[in-house]
Amino acid sequence: MTQHSVIVYTSDQCSHCEKVLAKLSEWNIEYKEKNISQDKSYFKELQSQKIYGTPATFINDEKVLGFQERKLKRTLGIQDAGRFQDTDTIHFS
C-alpha cells in the first residue's frame, strides 16, 4: 500500500474524531493527531486553512472534513466493499 502523510485535527469529546482515529487504526494507517483543545497552535493552523471544526483529516494534500468513511477510503486508496464497487454489473433491456 502507498505511504500517505496523514494528519488528523481533533478536539476533546468529539465522537466523530474518535471514529476517524478508530478507522485509521483499523486500516493500519499511520497518522499524526493534533488536538486543538490541548494545543491552541493547532487551532491556529486549522484557522489558516479556513477550517473551524473537527475532525479535519489531511491526507497528502487532500482534506476530508468530518467523518466520511467512503471519502477517507477513496483518498487512501482502500478498496471499498460497499455497493458501488467496480465489479457491479448493470443490465439494461
Side-chain angles (χ1 to χ4, degrees), residues 23 27 59 62 64 67-85:
K23 283 296 177 186
W27 300 329
I59 302 167
E62 190 166 342
V64 179
F67 177 67
Q68 300 183 63
E69 183 174 350
R70 287 172 59 205
K71 186 171 183 180
L72 286 168
K73 279 184 167 182
R74 185 176 62 248
T75 306
L76 291 165
I78 297 171
Q79 183 72 300
D80 189 355
R83 55 180 238 212
F84 297 113
Q85 264 189 312

Side-chain angles (χ1 to χ4, degrees), residues 20-87:
V20 168
L21 297 178
K23 283 296 177 186
L24 292 173
S25 293
E26 178 183 321
W27 300 329
N28 295 315
I29 303 295
E30 291 184 24
Y31 61 87
K32 177 174 182 163
E33 180 182 0
K34 294 186 174 186
N35 187 311
I36 67 169
S37 299
Q38 297 173 12
D39 188 332
K40 299 302 177 197
S41 69
Y42 294 150
F43 185 60
K44 291 183 189 292
E45 288 176 17
L46 265 187
Q47 284 180 320
S48 73
Q49 298 283 326
K50 306 274 190 258
I51 300 170
Y52 301 93
T54 59
T57 306
F58 289 83
I59 302 167
N60 300 324
D61 293 327
E62 190 166 342
K63 61 186 161 200
V64 179
L65 303 179
F67 177 67
Q68 300 183 63
E69 183 174 350
R70 287 172 59 205
K71 186 171 183 180
L72 286 168
K73 279 184 167 182
R74 185 176 62 248
T75 306
L76 291 165
I78 297 171
Q79 183 72 300
D80 189 355
R83 55 180 238 212
F84 297 113
Q85 264 189 312
D86 291 334
T87 58

Side-chain angles (χ1 to χ4, degrees), residues 5 7 12-13 29 32 88 91-92:
S5 169
I7 299 171
D12 291 344
Q13 281 145 29
I29 303 295
K32 177 174 182 163
D88 289 345
H91 297 280
F92 296 97

